Amino acid sequence: MKHEPAGNGVTMDHEQDARAKHRNKAVLDASTRTTHELRASDSPRDERYRSDDPDVDVLWRALCEVADPELPVSLVDLGLIRAMRRDGDAVHVDVTFTASACPCMEFIILDIRERLMQEDGVGSVTVLDVWDPPWHNDDMTAHARALLKSFGVAA
Amino acid sequence: MSTALREAAKAGELTAEQREAVRDLILVLADSKRLLGMRYGNWMLGAPELEAGIACASMAQDEWGHARLLYALLKDFGEDVDALEHGRTAAEYRSIEALDAEPGSWPELVAVNAFVDLALTLQFEALAESNYLPLRQRVQKVIEEERFHAAHGAAWLRRIAASGDEGHEAMKTAIAAITPIVLRWFGPDSNRANAIHDASLIDAVGSDMRSRYVERAAALLRDIGGAGAFGDLEPDFSTFDEATRRTPGTSPDERTITQIRGDRNREFLMD
């Protein structure tokens, strides 16, 4: 299997570090930031980033509408979303980052949570950062490459 | 060699002896990465070229990213991660002694880039197949990002050596001070070291690490015509604390640790 299962219980404190969250509340508030508007229908499906389970596939489609904070490309097309699971109304997302010191980690995690919470039947979203295998250019979809090229970024 | 341990998804699955040794190693590496990030970061605006300053900014960012990945792991060992990151004094830091003082010149920073960063990366490479899964899952990313640091260090090493001026001498002096510290830093082939090696939590003990380091560092030294800078290949461990990999009573400078803790930034917290 390409991606090792997550869930070893070791992750950064995305949920628990209430103090850091509070501290950064103003800068992290998504509504105060400009993000690129994306439509899932504009993003061709990549076999790697979909699910045979329609209840999970709808989540992949939803994240096709969440843009990277720095680029007009969705998190799915960038290959940052490694896996998604549904357990009742709880959704678990494995996400990776292009760099270990990605300055946008918290933005990305908040954006994922905010978008998935809009889906029917989703009561909670847990985001786990995973690093194995490390993100690679090949993880991007052809659609992402074309967008980045038009944006003037070598991919 | 005793029977290899099966893969451990949590620190709680390790024996008390293994757990303590792995936890200490992670903290030593995290603190060293943090200090190294500061040392790089201080040259963002002082490097001889704009590109070199940007490279320092980028390497500093990487090192802090690696430190963050490692500190986060220590939660699995029951540690208070926030207290580790923001609550300790300089005397409590376990960073490698070669980073205790701010490099005073660009050639000295290049020596750190080439010879201290190399030591840390080799230690990560020895963890690439670790049976402690959460650590293994983070190591590959670190190693990949470090390739750029190694290339940067080697390129500047050669460039300064080719200049043949006083910068070359300053760099050689700095390297001669770094290498004995690094060789000792890898630690003795003790029961503690063997305990995690036998369980395949790491693939090397101190003497293996020294061999690997000498091999890789010798290639760099050949490039700059400065062989023979290594100290004793059997270091004196009489004042060496295996848990911290330091001589007790020594520490990085307090000013740098104050900056790392972010004491002044705390005045701006929105509590």
Side-chain angles (χ1 to χ4, degrees):
Chain A
M1 196 171 85
K2 190 178 173 223
H3 301 126
E4 297 205 44
N8 54 43
V10 180
T11 182
M12 286 186 220
D13 255 343
H14 300 311
E15 305 259 37
Q16 291 87 346
D17 194 352
R19 196 175 62 160
K21 220 149 127 186
H22 181 66
R23 179 192 308 161
N24 295 318
K25 192 174 181 308
V27 281
L28 289 176
D29 185 352
S31 65
T32 65
R33 292 185 287 121
T34 331
T35 51
H36 300 274
E37 296 286 332
L38 299 179
R39 284 176 304 187
S41 55
D42 292 339
S43 179
R45 300 312 300 269
D46 184 302
E47 281 306 307
R48 296 172 294 176
Y49 307 129
R50 58 180 303 281
S51 171
D52 291 334
D53 177 350
D55 289 338
V56 176
D57 200 51
V58 73
L59 305 177
W60 283 101
R61 296 301 283 164
L63 292 190
C64 285
E65 295 180 351
V66 178
D68 176 89
E70 294 177 327
L71 299 163
V73 182
S74 80
L75 303 179
V76 171
D77 282 299
L78 279 174
L80 300 185
I81 308 299
R82 297 304 209 183
M84 280 198 272
R85 297 177 298 286
R86 249 184 134 134
D87 182 13
D89 72 348
V91 172
H92 301 272
V93 185
D94 289 353
V95 60
T96 196
F97 300 95
T98 55
S100 66
C102 171
C104 297
M105 281 181 189
E106 293 297 327
F107 289 146
I108 289 172
I109 289 164
L110 285 176
D111 290 348
I112 289 171
R113 187 171 289 138
E114 187 179 271
R115 179 62 187 84
L116 293 180
M117 287 297 283
Q118 293 169 19
E119 291 298 309
D120 286 342
V122 176
S124 70
V125 177
T126 307
V127 181
L128 185 73
D129 60 295
V130 297
W131 300 93
D132 184 27
W135 182 87
H136 191 269
N137 278 355
D138 294 342
D139 295 333
M140 284 191 286
T141 64
H143 181 58
R145 284 168 199 284
L147 281 171
L148 288 181
K149 201 173 168 188
S150 72
F151 201 59
V153 177
Chain B
M1 185 188 272
S2 63
T3 317
L5 177 87
R6 64 178 177 80
E7 240 168 43
K10 286 184 182 297
E13 296 168 29
L14 305 177
T15 67
E17 185 186 32
Q18 293 163 352
R19 198 161 54 239
E20 189 180 316
V22 172
R23 177 253 181 211
D24 287 343
L25 174 57
I26 293 171
L27 187 52
V28 163
L29 288 172
D31 283 351
S32 298
K33 288 273 176 188
R34 208 113 192 259
L35 254 292
L36 183 54
M38 284 302 285
R39 299 311 182 206
Y40 283 141
N42 279 340
W43 284 89
M44 280 190 273
L45 298 176
E49 288 176 351
L50 177 62
E51 289 77 6
I54 292 168
C56 282
S58 179
M59 292 191 292
Q61 185 181 1
D62 286 342
E63 298 302 346
W64 275 50
H66 302 164
R68 180 167 62 177
L69 286 182
L70 294 169
Y71 285 125
L73 266 183
L74 291 170
K75 190 176 166 217
D76 190 32
F77 293 77
E79 299 288 343
D80 176 342
V81 175
D82 190 54
L84 279 178
E85 286 203 66
H86 305 291
R88 286 179 301 153
T89 63
E92 294 170 284
Y93 267 72
R94 300 184 177 201
S95 44
I96 185 169
E97 289 166 347
L99 296 171
D100 280 359
E102 177 64 36
S105 65
W106 178 248
E108 289 169 66
L109 190 273
V110 170
V112 165
N113 184 180
F115 290 92
V116 179
D117 214 346
L118 170 65
L120 302 183
T121 301
L122 285 175
Q123 192 68 81
F124 275 95
E125 288 178 4
L127 296 164
E129 300 296 329
S130 176
N131 263 335
Y132 176 49
L133 198 57
L135 182 56
R136 188 173 86 205
Q137 288 172 332
R138 285 159 171 75
V139 166
Q140 207 53 46
K141 186 72 183 170
V142 173
I143 293 171
E144 283 191 12
E145 292 180 338
E146 285 295 333
R147 285 188 194 135
F148 299 103
H149 301 202
H152 184 264
W156 268 101
L157 208 64
R158 284 193 290 268
R159 192 167 156 186
I160 291 173
S163 74
D165 60 15
E166 69 270 21
H168 190 189
E169 283 311 309
M171 188 172 74
K172 274 172 38 178
T173 304
I175 294 168
I178 287 168
T179 48
I181 292 173
V182 166
L183 292 176
R184 191 179 82 131
W185 180 75
F186 288 122
D189 295 352
S190 61
N191 291 340
R192 179 184 231 262
N194 280 309
I196 54 172
H197 178 254
D198 291 351
S200 297
L201 291 162
I202 190 166
D203 79 356
V205 291
S207 58
D208 302 322
M209 293 307 306
R210 276 185 283 283
S211 302
R212 292 177 193 180
Y213 183 78
V214 166
E215 192 186 329
R216 295 268 281 271
L220 291 172
L221 287 174
R222 265 197 308 277
D223 281 356
I224 61 167
F230 295 112
D232 193 347
L233 287 185
E234 286 174 27
D236 176 5
F237 292 110
S238 57
T239 61
F240 186 76
D241 177 345
E242 266 197 81
T244 62
R245 295 203 186 186
R246 301 182 54 95
T247 297
T250 64
S251 73
D253 66 283
E254 187 66 58
R255 182 178 152 273
T256 299
I257 300 303
T258 303
Q259 287 180 317
I260 284 176
R261 271 198 312 263
D263 291 359
R264 292 187 59 167
N265 289 340
R266 289 183 177 219
E267 294 166 20
F268 302 102
L269 289 184
M270 297 180 290
D271 283 334

